[in-house]
Amino acid sequence: MIYISNVGRKALQKVIQFINDNILWGVPMIILILGVGIYLTVRNRFTQVTKFPYAVKMTMGKTLKGIGKGKGKKGDGISQFEAFSTAIAGTVGTGNIVGVATAIISGGPGAVFWMWLSAFVGMFTNFAENVLGIYYRKKGKDGEYRGGPMYYISEGLGWKWLAILFAIFCMFAAFGMNMVQINTIADTLNGGFKIPKWVSGVVVAIIIALIIIGGIKRIGKITSYIIPFMCVGFMIMAIVIICINIKAIPSALSQIFKNAFSFKSVGGGVLGYAIMRSMRYGLARGIFSNEAGLGSSVIAHSASSVKEPVRQGLWGIFGVFLDTMVICTLTALVILTSGVYGESMGDISGAMLSQAAFTQAFGKFGTVVFSLILPLFAFTTILSWAYYGEKSFEFIFGKKYSIIFKVIYVALVIVGALTSVSLVWDMADFFNGLMAIPNLIGLFLLGGVVTRITRNYFDRQKKRDVMPMLSAYPQDNLQLTGDVESENDNNIEEEQTGGEKEPSDKGN
């Protein structure tokens, strides 16, 4: 029985690998992802560059400034930062550590260059997703906002069938991402503390079940507490390792840029193959990490109480920058400067390679720290994808049946802890690739809407008299416009009376 199971697993993995390498993450997907990202970037005049300082100011700058100044006005959804934390929890996960290492092992150091490229165009792709997510979202009878690609595809394009396809792919992608993350948790805790994998699976399954019962508000609260400390803690450790090996930085950067195009390869066929592997793994792991183009993170962003679509879009720009340009780059430099990477490493996993870099710098302490950090990254990702999958399930079957998804999701936590790691990663790539296709079609065809909403927002920032574009639904747009104007009047009054002026969508 075990033999047949192993044969079936290997056959399934070969089929999935073939589809991933030649279709979903081959030339067609590379053209589609980069093409849509470049199209949106050029059409909107490189907003992720020209408005980047403004994006930082209105996202983290605004959040840090508000610390210790009260909770502000209560909105209908969760706060912008909680929505961002939930979304970033889904992106800042094992993709940033294990995914980067896997990309380097499989595609060489040049894969990092393609991760940067995917992030550059992905910053605006994610901005566009968030803008459309807020603009086309709907409020349920429970007062909770629901949005995402399934809504802007069905409402913006009128293609319900394509929206349902996205929801199906997202639901299965959630299962795949769930299994990837718990597999990493179980692997890491088993290697670092000798904890049996099934124990990790059961314990995490119980904790996840208790949290997801509380829905987006509980998930948002928990991730908003964990994410800042998690990111800062990892970045500090990574910077220390890089500083220890600072003399190796020029060599590491040289490896990245030279290997990106494999100048040392001999012969056209070898050159083309090496470049394609570098591009395939760099783009796949880059998108796996920041999710720009997949459409998943916008499901969390759409739950925000923000009224201005562009305001939440700015969190998309900052989120991809933080995820890939900062955290993934730090991971890559940790691996390449520490000396643990080599062309003759044998059969080593991404988690083992990353852990080796921490151990090389800090000894046993590094192993312990890594064994604690990685599970925390993975755990928050499991939480976020539980929400993405649940909302996709609800879009197809309705809210009253959502408990079915939750039961399956929790059960797969245990299954994922005991599943082959290579098969799990291939399945995650497979479903992520399927999910990206309908989302990218929607983004391309709704690119004009994104441009108009963005231009409308910045026109109003310049005090031009234009009707706000806040919702695709006339009645909702009228109500939101009144709310925004009322808040602006309150802000002016506070300013005139000596109070501190708040942003136009305070508390959102």
Side-chain angles (χ1 to χ4, degrees):
M1 178 68 75
I2 295 176
Y3 176 75
I4 295 175
S5 176
N6 287 337
V7 170
R9 178 182 60 78
K10 290 179 180 179
L12 174 63
Q13 188 168 355
K14 285 184 179 180
V15 171
I16 292 176
Q17 283 179 339
F18 177 83
I19 296 174
N20 286 344
D21 291 342
N22 296 282
I23 303 174
L24 292 180
W25 295 107
V27 174
M29 182 59 77
I30 289 172
I31 293 174
L32 185 59
I33 290 174
L34 292 183
V36 171
I38 292 171
Y39 162 73
L40 292 172
T41 294
V42 173
R43 179 163 188 166
N44 290 272
R45 302 177 182 179
F46 295 86
T47 298
Q48 71 267 51
V49 177
T50 60
K51 299 297 182 183
F52 183 74
Y54 181 79
V56 174
K57 174 185 175 183
M58 299 306 294
T59 54
M60 288 308 298
K62 178 179 168 185
T63 299
L64 293 174
K65 187 178 179 181
I67 293 176
K69 295 185 178 179
K71 297 181 180 179
K73 296 178 182 178
K74 186 177 181 181
D76 295 313
I78 58 176
S79 72
Q80 282 180 274
F81 183 67
E82 287 174 345
F84 167 75
S85 295
T86 302
I88 206 69
T91 59
V92 179
T94 55
N96 299 81
I97 304 177
V98 179
V100 173
T102 302
I104 293 174
I105 292 171
S106 303
V112 178
F113 172 84
W114 296 104
M115 290 180 73
W116 288 339
L117 180 61
S118 74
F120 176 75
V121 297
M123 287 166 71
F124 193 83
T125 301
N126 203 225
F127 170 89
E129 289 173 334
N130 289 352
V131 167
L132 293 174
I134 297 294
Y135 190 67
Y136 286 104
R137 69 183 177 180
K138 292 184 174 182
K139 183 186 287 189
K141 294 180 180 179
D142 55 2
E144 183 181 314
Y145 283 118
R146 290 172 174 79
M150 52 277 206
Y151 287 90
Y152 56 72
I153 290 173
S154 62
E155 301 297 326
L157 298 178
W159 295 356
K160 186 68 178 284
W161 63 272
L162 189 62
I164 291 176
L165 268 183
F166 171 85
I168 292 172
F169 295 150
C170 184
M171 187 170 61
F172 281 101
F175 293 147
M177 291 293 284
N178 172 6
M179 296 174 71
V180 162
Q181 307 304 326
I182 185 57
N183 192 280
T184 301
I185 291 174
D187 235 14
T188 304
L189 294 179
N190 180 257
F193 305 106
K194 307 303 180 184
I195 298 175
K197 293 183 178 181
W198 71 267
V199 172
S200 297
V202 171
V203 172
V204 173
I206 292 172
I207 297 173
I208 291 295
L210 293 174
I211 294 175
I212 64 177
I213 290 173
I216 184 61
K217 292 192 176 182
R218 184 177 296 176
I219 293 173
K221 287 290 183 185
I222 291 175
T223 55
S224 67
Y225 294 143
I226 296 176
I227 289 298
F229 295 104
M230 184 178 75
C231 291
V232 172
F234 174 77
M235 288 190 289
I236 290 174
M237 294 289 290
I239 290 171
V240 169
I241 295 175
I242 294 170
C243 288
I244 291 174
N245 303 294
I246 195 167
K247 292 182 179 179
I249 291 179
S251 175
L253 294 175
S254 176
Q255 288 184 70
I256 290 172
F257 288 105
K258 286 183 179 180
N259 189 262
F261 301 98
S262 297
F263 291 131
K264 291 191 290 186
S265 296
V266 180
V270 176
L271 175 64
Y273 176 72
I275 291 176
M276 284 309 301
R277 280 183 66 84
S278 183
M279 290 177 68
R280 178 257 192 273
Y281 283 99
L283 289 171
R285 295 305 175 209
I287 293 164
F288 184 92
S289 174
N290 61 52
E291 296 179 27
L294 298 187
S296 51
S297 64
V298 67
I299 298 175
H301 281 287
S302 297
S304 167
S305 59
V306 69
K307 296 178 177 65
E308 293 277 7
V310 170
R311 285 286 176 88
Q312 202 64 34
L314 297 175
W315 282 101
I317 291 177
F318 178 76
V320 174
F321 175 81
L322 172 66
D323 178 272
T324 305
M325 294 298 197
V326 177
I327 298 179
C328 285
T329 299
L330 287 174
T331 302
L333 289 177
V334 163
I335 292 170
L336 295 176
T337 60
S338 62
V340 297
Y341 171 77
E343 294 183 0
S344 57
M345 294 180 298
D347 187 18
I348 183 173
S349 69
M352 291 172 62
L353 181 63
S354 299
Q355 182 172 315
F358 274 73
T359 303
Q360 185 269 346
F362 302 112
K364 183 64 177 178
F365 174 74
T367 303
V368 173
V369 170
F370 182 86
S371 298
L372 294 174
I373 287 179
L374 192 57
L376 190 60
F377 270 66
F379 177 76
T380 55
T381 303
I382 293 174
L383 280 181
S384 295
W385 277 91
Y387 182 72
Y388 303 158
E390 181 186 346
K391 293 304 144 185
S392 297
F393 185 91
E394 284 183 12
F395 183 81
I396 302 172
F397 302 106
K399 183 177 176 61
K400 64 180 179 179
Y401 297 111
S402 63
I403 187 63
I404 297 175
F405 171 85
K406 292 179 180 180
V407 170
I408 296 174
Y409 193 84
V410 171
L412 286 178
V413 170
I414 301 174
V415 174
L418 304 172
T419 306
S420 165
V421 64
S422 56
L423 176 60
V424 167
W425 276 96
D426 286 334
M427 288 178 64
D429 276 347
F430 177 74
F431 288 119
N432 282 343
L434 287 176
M435 184 172 64
I437 296 172
N439 180 55
L440 290 168
I441 292 173
L443 288 175
F444 178 77
L445 296 178
L446 293 171
V449 177
V450 175
T451 302
R452 290 195 295 275
I453 295 172
T454 305
R455 185 181 297 125
N456 176 274
Y457 173 80
F458 286 109
D459 280 348
R460 286 184 286 115
Q461 295 300 302
K462 297 175 183 176
K463 307 301 181 184
R464 293 176 182 169
D465 188 18
V466 293
M467 180 68 178
M469 294 181 66
L470 308 175
S471 173
Y473 317 110
Q475 188 61 40
D476 290 344
N477 192 69
L478 188 63
Q479 181 180 339
L480 289 169
T481 298
D483 292 342
V484 169
E485 290 176 350
S486 176
E487 288 174 358
N488 286 336
D489 290 341
N490 290 336
N491 292 336
I492 293 173
E493 184 179 348
E494 287 180 10
E495 191 175 34
Q496 290 174 343
T497 57
E500 183 175 352
K501 183 178 180 180
E502 298 288 346
S504 61
D505 57 342
K506 179 182 176 184
N508 296 332

